[in-house]
Amino acid sequence: ELGTSRIQLALASNVALSVIAYVMTRRLIPHFMPMFTKANLFGVDLNKVNPDKSPSTTKVPESLGTITAAVYLVIMFLFIPFYFTPFLLEFDDQKKRFPHGQLEEFICGLLSICCMIFLGFADDVLNLRWRHKMIIPTVGSLPLLMVYFVNGGSTRVIMPLQLRDVVGVHVDLGILYYVYMGMLAVFCTNAINILAGINGIEAGQSLVIALSICVHNGIEIWHDSADHQAHELSLFLMMPFVAVTSALLSFNLWPAKCFVGDTFCYFAGMTFAVSGILGHFSKTMFLFFIPQVINFIFSVPQLFKFVHCPRHRLPRLNKETGLLENSLAVIPADQYRGIGRLFIDVFALFGFISFKKSEKEIVVSNFTFINLVIRILGPTHEHNLAMWILAFQVLCSCLAFYVRYQLVLFFFDGHHDHEEVFHPK
Amino acid sequence: ELGTSRIQLALASNVALSVIAYVMTRRLIPHFMPMFTKANLFGVDLNKVNPDKSPSTTKVPESLGTITAAVYLVIMFLFIPFYFTPFLLEFDDQKKRFPHGQLEEFICGLLSICCMIFLGFADDVLNLRWRHKMIIPTVGSLPLLMVYFVNGGSTRVIMPLQLRDVVGVHVDLGILYYVYMGMLAVFCTNAINILAGINGIEAGQSLVIALSICVHNGIEIWHDSADHQAHELSLFLMMPFVAVTSALLSFNLWPAKCFVGDTFCYFAGMTFAVSGILGHFSKTMFLFFIPQVINFIFSVPQLFKFVHCPRHRLPRLNKETGLLENSLAVIPADQYRGIGRLFIDVFALFGFISFKKSEKEIVVSNFTFINLVIRILGPTHEHNLAMWILAFQVLCSCLAFYVRYQLVLFFFDGHHDHEEVFHPK
Ligand SMILES: [Mg+2]
Ligand SMILES: [Mg+2]
């Protein structure tokens, strides 16, 4: 019974702190916006025009995700005693049962997130190179991996039923498991960072993913899964994130009063990775990233330079209609060969990209998910485009829940036996 | 015996990682300097002249402490398994003896430091206001305080012999103890931040303080004090700090190729506070800050605006001699009254400041420790001035050791009984 009142206190304080976080973020963002502009942290919104239809030159403060992230950190620090102190009372006569493993995971998670915020802000200020974008999340996930190791965390994964005859029920991945966890952080941060470019899309998709994680944790806690406490931690990491991200989104929706910056993408991605690792559902986590995965796969030909990649790939504003249209990449005829040509031909065949061939050059629409959506919807207003993409993200999360709770029975014994199990000592 | 080989492994790996940290910092700082300048993070050295004796306009990259701090963090993350994994082997049959309390303190310490680096960098970029300088270290010390609380850390302090008849041997400070720990962070960061302004002084004083802490921990470990493990942790936090700070200093010495920035001062201050709290010698720590305390007390009249405070108080270059002289504050005659006048008169009486009175105004040298040293030495070359101040800091540390190990016997039973004792559960 003490267990119930403990979780009630934690839930109540987490909700209350989330509300405070929302209010603080709403107030602090406008307060800090002029300071960001003054510090040279601003951008010009390429898809806005002045009343006379000339390109907008308004300086939109950039990188306001920094404020969001700072508020989140402070709120999470304050949450620590609310969650962990009751354990002291609960097990008063046998203090060794204090959940040290969990406290360590939790602080480490915050350390990874904090490290990521710092490095993300450094990226925004210093404009780091592409290779740094891979190094940074790896560094950020180091504390989590180190403490997982020190705590003797399990590196065994459970095999699908179909493979058990061949490789056994468990396979110990050893060091590969650490590589997997590190890559999860790289994946989450960059997945959000590349599905970007229109108002509200970075914060919006993060909000949908965060809410999906909350629902997933809620279901598991409700059904009193064996891994109860892990899901609690994950939920309590996510609710304040939902709060601060909602506040940020309210300023970032069309017409954006501020941009979120790389800081926010790093912060969001790492918070998801930590939430998945601490909640022991990192594989389910991938299911909430379906649009991001589609975007990544679709972007591969341009990201890896098989097809010419212009500096900006975000959709282009038609000044007459005020609607967004596909942005185009122009490929000289002599570069239309090899693997690049294969990609272009296949994608054009399926209608994923527009395709116009002349003697001198090939003109195709850019290989991004946003351009793909415009191909389907036709010219669309920036706000509606963001909403359609977010609606698709919601749809994908519904699909994810179906896969997670129904399809999984085909491969595994029960709903839960496929998730990694962490054994803190 | 396992204990000995454990500490040998930890020491060896810490030294090796410190060497790597030094080499990395030496390489990364020049690599990143142009990126800082490009990002508008630069300053002009007011005490340098061009060959034609006009004021220098060379852009010196600022805030390079960020790189130092980032390297430090990565190295500390990597150190975690070297220190903690052997405990798993050592207590193989009774795993509950794994030092969870220590691991938690250690990660929390790193979290506080990381948080501080982020906020310090934000200060450098955004130029936060004065009141933020108080809030930031308080926020940065939150994780440490929270986990101290959750772990049921002791808030009792041991009283000097002379007071024990009145108040008892112990006094439980309760919440005041947390206020004290929070203020320690505020003190350490700002103490370094205000003894600044000539090449090499911020990094130099931090290096001397860090080495003093290393020596103190070394003595305690050598004499096998009861609080052995706490001093180990503190030492292992300091050695990589010494390494990265030496590397930074090598670029920051006269003539400075880069400035360290607020980031470094926050980072150094927080690392000292964490080292003192985790090593359980926060009171001894103050003894290593004697020049900083002198500087603070001497600065009070100007810091709190009793006496007019010009925008820059750093010493002034005499272009003819190439030596630094006192910088001056000009006070209109009608403002020469009240508490300000009292301060001026007393300080002038003792010869701490120069004093020149005319009908319209009073001209005094600025109330900083650096100006005081120039009063004593006469006009001095910038490099020599820094070296004299660092020599004084070394002298003060020697005095601190005398006080700590000899004078303390007058107030307490033994060498150690006055230090706070932390009881992780
Ligand atoms: Mg960037
Ligand atoms: Mg500043």
Side-chain angles (χ1 to χ4, degrees), chain A residues 62 120 122-129 133 193 261-263 266:
Chain A
E62 167 100 53
D123 186 358
D124 270 333
V125 173
L126 301 174
N127 285 306
L128 302 180
R129 320 264 150 82
K133 310 239 180 230
N193 214 354
D262 287 339
T263 318
Y266 283 115

Side-chain angles (χ1 to χ4, degrees), chain B residues 330-351:
Chain B
V330 178
I331 299 142
D334 60 326
Q335 282 179 33
Y336 178 56
R337 57 184 161 73
I339 303 175
R341 179 171 182 159
L342 186 70
F343 275 121
I344 293 172
D345 289 350
V346 172
F347 282 8
L349 185 69
F350 285 102

